[in-house]
Amino acid sequence: MSLSIKTPLLESLPLSNRVGTKVWMKMEAMQPGGSFKIRGVGFAFEQHHERGAERFISSSGGNAGLAVAYAGRRLGVPVIVVVPQTSSERARSLLKMEGAEVIVHGESWFEANELARSLQTAADAFIHPFDDPLLWTGHASMIDEVVADGLRPDAVVLSVGGGGLLAGVDEGLRRNGLVNVPIYAVETHGTASLQASISAGQLVEIPAVSGVATSLAARQVCRRAFDVSEERPVIPVQVSDREAVEACLTYLNDHRTLVEPACGAALAVLYGGKVSLAELNNVLVIVCGGSTAAIESLLTLRG
Ligand SMILES: *Cc1c(COP(=O)(O)O)cnc(C)c1O
């Protein structure tokens, strides 16, 4: 049995009315762990497990770490997650609830990641949050499900952090013959590392990341995400932190599902009418989800 589940594909009337065409939502917020991450992480986990990995290590205090912890609990394999001191109490307690050993180390992700890497022995597997072909192949299954449900979208809207979701959706679209479907790749202004690389015409690192969309905070996207932007139409779009948070709250009222600002960013493009899609017939938005934002923090951020 697969670690990820088949998620609903729902038509959104509020978003369809706003955009002027049919908008379909792939409800990845309903995955175990609360985000799409378990698709790729679960797939990678099972591959390593079959090859004999006895312990799994992650340095993600976010949804990727949660997915690794969930997979470990389900398969009865120990998981260590090293998180920096800046990680939230909520993230740590969610990881512990999944049964992971949580080690708090270092001032930033960089130090946490170094310790995580140093703990790794030959019997361990390290699961990267976005830069691994196994992850992309796992993520691609969400597009297989969309096509099996009878939808062949003529545009996809999704959020971009390190670009693993983008790489996986591209793989899914390609393996279903949807080679030229444009992808609207959404970042917040403070995390626009894909935009920076597309503008530069090469893979670049941005000096810093900032803002509320912590799950999008990668200073550089993976090479594959940049290559995808050269191989098919990828349209980078940015939204403000405020727009991302507002979109989460509007989305909660419209669809009764709480998502992180990282996911709100993609929704904000549709709610804000930031790109014109009315000429198309079926727009697919990946509701990527996320467990790290509580309703209180969203209300505080909105002010
Ligand atoms: C990881 C994550 C993203 C970004 O995915 P990447 O593969 O890093 O681009 C977006 N939203 C949520 C909720 C996530 O957990």
Side-chain angles (χ1 to χ4, degrees):
M1 207 188 111
S2 147
L3 291 163
S4 58
I5 64 165
K6 178 184 185 300
T7 55
L9 178 68
L10 303 174
E11 185 187 350
S12 167
L13 284 179
L15 288 172
S16 297
N17 291 341
R18 184 72 190 84
V19 172
T21 189
K22 272 208 178 74
V23 176
W24 298 87
M25 310 180 290
K26 187 59 173 160
M27 297 299 289
E28 293 300 295
M30 306 185 104
Q31 288 288 353
S35 81
F36 73 95
K37 289 282 188 336
I38 188 61
R39 287 191 187 266
V41 166
F43 184 73
F45 200 109
E46 282 175 328
Q47 303 282 314
H48 290 294
H49 190 46
E50 276 164 27
R51 289 178 214 148
E54 289 166 9
R55 191 174 70 158
F56 285 76
I57 300 179
S58 166
S59 56
S60 158
N63 298 306
L66 267 176
V68 179
Y70 170 80
R73 180 168 65 79
R74 284 288 310 280
L75 297 179
V77 182
V79 168
I80 298 179
V81 185
V82 187
V83 297
Q85 277 141 16
T86 50
S87 59
S88 69
E89 198 44 59
R90 177 182 169 90
R92 292 177 204 174
S93 75
L94 287 171
L95 287 165
K96 286 179 191 156
M97 191 154 68
E98 289 288 4
E101 180 185 341
V102 178
I103 299 176
V104 181
H105 175 82
E107 305 215 324
S108 73
W109 175 80
F110 186 80
E111 287 91 28
N113 188 57
E114 293 228 304
L115 177 66
R117 290 290 193 174
S118 75
L119 295 174
Q120 194 181 344
T121 71
D124 297 327
F126 182 87
I127 305 266
H128 195 278
F130 56 82
D131 193 3
D132 178 349
L134 291 175
L135 293 180
W136 312 330
T137 299
H139 294 338
S141 63
M142 74 181 75
I143 301 300
D144 298 337
E145 290 174 12
V146 167
V147 171
D149 279 344
L151 178 67
R152 297 183 73 79
D154 35 28
V156 181
V157 179
L158 52 73
S159 300
V160 173
L165 177 59
L166 172 63
V169 165
D170 168 73
E171 185 170 328
L173 291 171
R174 275 187 294 113
R175 77 187 184 199
N176 286 283
L178 297 164
V179 181
N180 290 317
V181 171
I183 300 178
Y184 291 84
V186 188
E187 300 171 295
T188 57
H189 293 300
T191 63
S193 47
L194 177 66
Q195 167 73 75
S197 288
I198 290 176
S199 302
Q202 59 178 348
L203 196 59
V204 297
E205 192 175 275
I206 57 176
V209 284
S210 61
V212 299
T214 49
S215 294
L216 305 185
R219 286 171 54 202
Q220 184 174 320
V221 295
C222 59
R223 149 89 32 209
R224 179 64 203 144
F226 177 68
D227 289 347
V228 168
S229 77
E230 303 217 300
E231 290 170 12
R232 73 155 65 236
V234 171
I235 303 100
V237 189
Q238 282 95 58
V239 302
S240 69
D241 280 359
R242 189 174 180 87
E243 288 167 324
V245 171
E246 292 281 355
C248 291
L249 293 167
T250 309
Y251 189 77
L252 177 60
N253 276 323
D254 284 348
H255 298 290
R256 306 161 306 281
T257 298
L258 180 64
V259 299
E260 280 180 24
C263 177
L267 299 169
V269 166
L270 300 173
Y271 278 123
K274 289 192 164 262
V275 291
S276 75
L277 301 166
E279 254 79 286
L280 305 174
N281 294 315
N282 292 290
V283 173
L284 174 68
V285 58
I286 308 298
V287 183
C288 50
S291 294
T292 69
I295 183 71
E296 294 80 15
S297 60
L298 288 177
L299 292 172
T300 308
L301 287 168
R302 184 180 61 176

